[in-house]
Amino acid sequence: MLRKKLVITLTTAQGSRQYTLGQLARYLIALFLLMAICSFFVSNLLLVKTSDELDSLEQGINSLSSQYEMTLGTQELQKGQLDQLSSTLQELKVERDKLQEENLRIGELNETLDASLFGLEDLLGLPPSKSMTSDRADALTVMTNQRLFFLSVLPNGEPIDGLRINDSYGMRMHPIRKKKVMHNGIDFKARTGTPVYATADGAVEFAGMHKSSGFGNLIILQHALGFKTYYAHLSGVKVKSGTFVSKGQLIGLSGNTGRSTGPHLHYEVRYLFRPIDPKPFIAWNISNFDSLFSEVKGVKWASLRKMYPLNQVLETAQQ
């Protein structure tokens, strides 16, 4: 019976004590020890497995962290690209708005230019065009420059401002000689000292007192193509012989010098030393340009048309 019992002896300072365990208790202790040993090994296995899983999880976390940082960098890059694209689009919008404004301005300029060219046709005394083409515009420009050239070098317009005509060109009763004689010019009634202007570009042939003719103070201007103009009975002379003058330039002051019955300006137009009626030249301007060539009969205009084709450029453009 004793072999089937387990005796446990505990020794303390007070002495030794013995405990006797039965067979069942031994089995329970053995089972407990076995379970403890198994639990130890199982726990170690689980701990190793858990450690491996934690390492794997840590690696995954590190990988995710790297991917997250990479994603953040990519987002920052994309944000920078989006900001740059937005800035570029804004600049393009500004440029587009500028282009639209420029197109509108160009359109307005073209309309204004077309209106000006149509107005130029009216100024030139031409029939209106259905449309303003570039060829038509070029022809109008050539024609305008051509007319302006002739209007600058040939006598035209009044030599004195806004004053009435006393005597015209032609036969008249001379106020001093008391008989009919040829009056070679036009007399403009004017107060002494009224400004007198050159009616075309030219050179001063004579400027001063001309006693033999009775013109008193006289200015003679030489112009292109054989024309001359005379300005007589002046109270003052503002130019010198041998100098050049331009159309509209002040050349003298009206007066009553020489054989004269009152202050006025005697104005003549001569062609190759022969007096011709100044009236068509006074009325001549850019709108009635062709009128001079039909009204003034004493000049061989046909030879001038051969030298300068005049309106042929425009006539060609109209065909």
Side-chain angles (χ1 to χ4, degrees):
M1 287 298 288
L2 291 172
R3 290 179 294 178
K4 295 182 180 178
K5 292 181 180 180
L6 177 62
V7 178
I8 300 173
T9 300
L10 297 175
T11 301
T12 63
Q14 288 81 20
S16 299
R17 297 183 67 179
Q18 292 183 343
Y19 297 91
T20 303
L21 298 176
Q23 188 175 7
L24 177 60
R26 288 183 293 159
Y27 287 150
L28 290 173
I29 292 172
L31 179 61
F32 174 76
L33 292 174
L34 179 62
M35 289 179 65
I37 293 170
C38 290
S39 177
F40 174 76
F41 285 107
V42 170
S43 296
N44 283 339
L45 289 174
L46 291 174
L47 181 60
V48 172
K49 185 177 180 181
T50 301
S51 178
D52 292 339
E53 288 178 352
L54 287 174
D55 290 339
S56 177
L57 182 60
E58 184 179 2
Q59 291 177 359
I61 290 174
N62 291 335
S63 176
L64 288 175
S65 178
S66 298
Q67 292 177 1
Y68 176 71
E69 291 177 357
M70 185 180 298
T71 302
L72 285 179
T74 304
Q75 288 179 344
E76 289 295 328
L77 179 61
Q78 290 177 345
K79 183 176 181 299
Q81 291 175 343
L82 288 174
D83 292 341
Q84 184 177 1
L85 179 60
S86 176
S87 177
T88 302
L89 289 175
Q90 185 65 27
E91 291 176 358
L92 289 175
K93 182 178 180 299
V94 172
E95 290 297 324
R96 182 199 64 187
D97 294 341
K98 287 182 179 180
L99 286 174
Q100 288 178 345
E101 293 177 0
E102 187 69 14
N103 287 335
L104 289 174
R105 190 178 69 84
I106 291 174
E108 292 174 355
L109 286 176
N110 287 336
E111 291 178 0
T112 303
L113 180 59
D114 286 346
S116 299
L117 290 172
F118 284 122
L120 184 59
E121 283 184 328
D122 183 61
L123 177 64
L124 295 175
L126 303 173
S129 302
K130 294 181 180 179
S131 62
M132 186 56 62
T133 64
S134 58
D135 289 341
R136 176 69 169 175
D138 290 342
L140 286 172
T141 302
V142 171
M143 181 178 182
T144 301
N145 291 334
Q146 187 182 66
R147 289 192 177 189
L148 290 175
F149 167 74
F150 280 101
L151 287 168
S152 67
V153 299
L154 296 184
N156 62 92
E158 294 183 343
I160 199 166
D161 287 335
L163 300 171
R164 67 183 178 87
I165 296 174
N166 269 0
D167 284 316
S168 300
Y169 176 87
M171 296 297 296
R172 68 159 186 176
M173 180 66 69
H174 194 281
I176 296 177
R177 298 167 62 183
K178 303 301 181 183
K179 65 177 183 178
K180 279 194 173 184
V181 295
M182 183 65 186
H183 187 234
N184 292 327
I186 288 179
D187 289 345
F188 292 90
K189 184 177 181 180
R191 292 179 179 176
T192 299
T194 303
V196 176
Y197 305 98
T199 54
D201 298 346
V204 181
E205 177 182 314
F206 180 85
M209 179 59 68
H210 201 271
K211 296 180 180 179
S212 59
S213 64
F215 281 149
N217 287 322
L218 172 68
I219 296 174
I220 302 175
L221 300 183
Q222 291 184 2
H223 306 291
L225 307 177
F227 287 91
K228 291 184 181 182
T229 51
Y230 283 57
Y231 309 80
H233 306 301
L234 301 173
S235 62
V237 175
K238 300 296 183 180
V239 291
K240 295 181 179 181
S241 298
T243 59
F244 293 96
V245 297
S246 57
K247 178 177 171 59
Q249 179 178 332
L250 175 67
I251 57 174
L253 303 173
S254 64
N256 192 32
T257 58
R259 289 197 297 269
S260 172
T261 58
H264 70 286
L265 171 68
H266 175 81
Y267 175 67
E268 292 186 12
V269 175
R270 299 191 182 192
Y271 175 68
L272 298 179
F273 306 101
R274 181 173 55 85
I276 53 180
D277 190 355
K279 186 176 180 180
F281 291 89
I282 292 172
W284 190 39
N285 56 51
I286 196 170
S287 299
N288 62 2
F289 186 78
D290 290 334
S291 64
L292 186 72
F293 309 119
S294 59
E295 292 182 20
V296 178
K297 304 298 183 182
V299 180
K300 298 183 184 293
W301 299 114
S303 59
L304 179 61
R305 284 183 176 273
K306 291 179 182 178
M307 293 174 59
Y308 301 94
L310 299 180
N311 296 342
Q312 292 180 8
V313 175
L314 187 65
E315 292 170 358
T316 301
Q318 291 176 323
Q319 294 175 353

